[in-house]
Amino acid sequence: MRLRALLDTDSLGLRLLGGEEELDRAVRGVMTTDLKDPSRYLSGGELVLTGLAWRRGPEDSERFVRILAAAGVAGLAAGEAESGPVPDDLVLACARHRLPLFAVDEEVAFASVTEHIVRQVSTERAGDLAAVVERHRRLMTAGPGGGGPDAVLDLLGSDLDLRAWVLSATGRRIAGAIHPLPAGAGAQLAAEHLAAARSGRRAPYRAHVAGRPFSLFPVRGGVPADDIRGTLLSDWFLAVEADAGDWPAERLDLLDGVTQLIAVERERRDATRTVRRRLATEVLDLVQTGAAPGEIGARLRLAAPVPAPGLGAAPHWQVVVARVDWAGDGPAAGPAAQALLEEALVDPGAVGPDSADLVAVAHTGEEATALVPSSSLESDGAAPALTAEGLLSVLIGPLSPGLGEDGRLTIGVSSAVHSADGLRGALEEARHARRVAAARPGRVCVAGHEELASHVLLLPFVPDDVRRAFTAHLLDPLRAYDRRHRAELVPTLEAFLESDGSWTRCANRLHLHVNTLRYRIGRIEQLTGRDLSRLEDRLDFFLALRMS
C-alpha cells in the first residue's frame, strides 16, 4: 500500500503535516515505539507510530528523525493524545530529511492504525500468503468468532505447513497445543531467544534444539522500554520449526504480521490483570500498616481468583517476594520482577495466555510481592506447598541468559498461613528469605522459609572481614600443613564432622585404618589447640568450613 492511501481513510484520523511529494512511498509494515533509538527494530518501509515520550527538547527531534530516515522508514505518525499538538521542531526535522509526517488525532488509538495497515499490507500480497494473514486477522478479532493465538498457529500449520508455538520467557507454552514440543525444548528455546535479544542480533533468531531448526520471532506488546532489559524477561516469542535464513521477504513480513496480531492478545491479557494487581497492592498496604484482619480478609477475597479445582473456600496463602537487580544504571526493576513472578507461579500443566491468573502480584519500588493461594494443607489430595526448589527449577535454565552478566534475580518464599492474621509474618518471612538468596552466588537464587531456622540464615550476614579472620584462625594451620606434607587434614576434618564424630564410619568413608584416622585428628587438635571431642569445637570447625 502507499502512504497516500492512509489519508483517504477517514476513520484513521491522520492529518498530513509535511512530505506531500513523498506520499507514493510503499508501506511494508508498522511499528509503535517511544525508544530514543529504535533502529535495531526497523528493517525499512514501516510507518512509525510514536507518542513522543522520547522528546525532551527540540534537539531530540532532529536526532530521532535522522535515525528513522537512515533506516528507510516510509513515514512518521505522531500521536496527539498525550503530548498535544505535534511540535514545530519535529515538523522541520521531517522536512529536512524528506520524511512524511502525519498527526494522529487524539480520538484514534494506535492499535486501530496498526490493524488497518497490517490488514492492507497483508491483503496486497499474492496468493495464499494474503489469504492466510486475512484469516488470521479475523480469528484474532474479539468476539464469539475469535480463535486466539491457537487458531492463528493452526492456520500457519494448515496453510503454510509451519509448526509454531507462542512461548514465554521461561519457555512455558502459551499457544500451539496441536504439535507437542520435545521435552525441555521450551526452556532451551527461551534461553536462545533471551541470549540473542540481549546481544542485539536482528530477528528472527535461528537456533537448533533437539536436532531441529527453529526461527524465533519476538512478540512485544505495547511500547518498548528505553532499555530492553526492562521488558525482555517478560516477553513472549513465536518459535517456528523452520530455518528462516533463506525465506523470501514476503514470508518474513507475514510472520512479522502474525507477531503483531499475537501482541494484541498479549496486551489484552495484561489489561485483564490490571484490577488484580491493584487489589494486591491494596492488600499489601493494609498488611504493612497493621490494618484489622477482617479488613485485610475482605480485600484478599477480592484479589483472589476464582478457586481452582480442589481449592477450598478458605485457602492457605504463601507470600513470594522477588527482586531484579542490574549492575550500574538499569531499568526499573519492579515491573520486571512482577511479570516474572506472574510467569513463574503458573501451574506447570496449564497452557494458554490466561493460565497465569491464579496469583495476585504487586510491585513497590524494586520488589514484587505475590499472594499465592494453595489448597488446604490438611485435606486429602491437597496441592503441595510452593517450594524454593520448585521455583528455581522453573527459572534458572531459561532466564540466566536474559539476565546476562549484569543482572540478578533473587526470590524468597514464605511458609503457608491459613488466614489474613498471618500475612504480615509471612511477608517478613519471605523478605528475609529473599535476603538469604541475595547473599548467594549465581544469577538466579531462591530461598525458602525452611532455611530461616538454620545456621544458613546467619552465615550470609556475617561481615566478610569477620568470616575471613574466623576461618583463617581455624583452618590456615591445617592448610599450611597439608601443603607441606600432603596429609589431607582438611578433607579428614570434613569427613569426621559429616560422620558425626564416629571413628568407624569416618575411617570406612576415607578407607583408612582407625589408628591412622586417630593420628590425623590428633594432629588437627595439636595444630589448632582445639578438642574435637567437645561439641563447641566441632561446631566452630563446622562453621569455618561452611564459610570458607
Side-chain angles (χ1 to χ4, degrees), residues 59-147:
E59 65 280 0
D60 293 334
S61 294
E62 171 63 22
R63 180 177 180 271
F64 185 78
V65 173
R66 184 171 63 250
I67 290 170
L68 298 189
V73 304
L76 174 64
E80 296 181 327
E82 296 291 336
S83 304
V86 177
D88 292 339
D89 49 88
L90 181 59
V91 177
L92 293 174
C94 287
R96 281 193 294 271
H97 292 277
R98 300 179 63 84
L99 184 67
L101 175 64
F102 301 86
V104 183
D105 189 88
E106 63 181 0
E107 300 292 329
V108 178
F110 280 179
S112 299
V113 180
T114 298
E115 182 179 3
H116 176 82
I117 292 175
V118 170
R119 182 170 66 249
Q120 294 301 317
V121 171
S122 299
T123 53
E124 288 175 4
R125 294 182 182 130
D128 61 344
L129 295 183
V132 170
V133 173
E134 179 60 18
R135 289 169 67 189
H136 288 175
R137 186 196 66 78
R138 291 200 305 269
L139 284 165
M140 288 295 291
T141 301

Side-chain angles (χ1 to χ4, degrees), residues 184-377:
Q188 294 179 58
L189 289 171
E192 293 279 356
H193 161 70
L194 291 172
R198 275 296 301 262
S199 69
R201 284 162 47 192
R202 184 181 291 274
Y205 315 127
R206 297 157 67 188
H208 275 79
V209 172
R212 305 183 191 178
F214 288 87
S215 297
L216 312 178
F217 297 80
V219 175
R220 296 193 172 100
V223 180
D226 286 342
D227 191 329
I228 192 173
R229 295 175 299 176
T231 58
L232 181 61
L233 297 178
S234 58
D235 279 345
W236 292 356
F237 66 99
L238 178 67
V240 180
E241 189 181 343
D243 187 343
D246 57 353
W247 281 7
E250 289 80 5
R251 180 159 288 201
L252 290 173
D253 286 348
L254 172 68
L255 268 296
D256 285 339
V258 170
T259 60
Q260 290 181 40
L261 293 172
I262 294 173
V264 173
E265 177 68 17
R266 170 68 188 271
E267 292 174 1
R268 183 201 66 78
R269 192 263 339 233
D270 285 343
T272 63
R273 291 185 179 174
T274 301
V275 173
R276 183 165 297 135
R277 288 170 172 171
R278 186 176 69 249
L279 289 171
T281 301
E282 293 175 2
V283 169
L284 291 173
D285 287 343
L286 291 172
V287 169
Q288 294 179 105
T289 56
E295 185 179 1
I296 297 174
R299 187 63 59 179
L300 192 60
R301 285 190 290 273
L302 291 175
V306 176
L311 189 63
H316 283 68
W317 292 88
Q318 287 180 270
V319 177
V320 181
V321 173
R323 177 171 175 142
V324 177
D325 290 290
W326 303 106
D329 293 331
Q338 180 183 48
L340 277 175
L341 275 188
E342 288 173 335
E343 173 59 34
L345 297 173
V346 176
D347 178 355
V351 177
D354 298 316
S355 55
D357 288 336
L358 294 180
V359 295
V361 186
H363 79 82
T364 53
E366 300 299 305
E367 278 188 348
T369 305
L371 304 170
V372 186
S374 60
S375 299
S376 174
L377 301 180

Side-chain angles (χ1 to χ4, degrees), residues 1 17 28 216 381 541:
M1 66 176 296
L17 301 181
R28 298 177 58 247
L216 312 178
F541 278 121

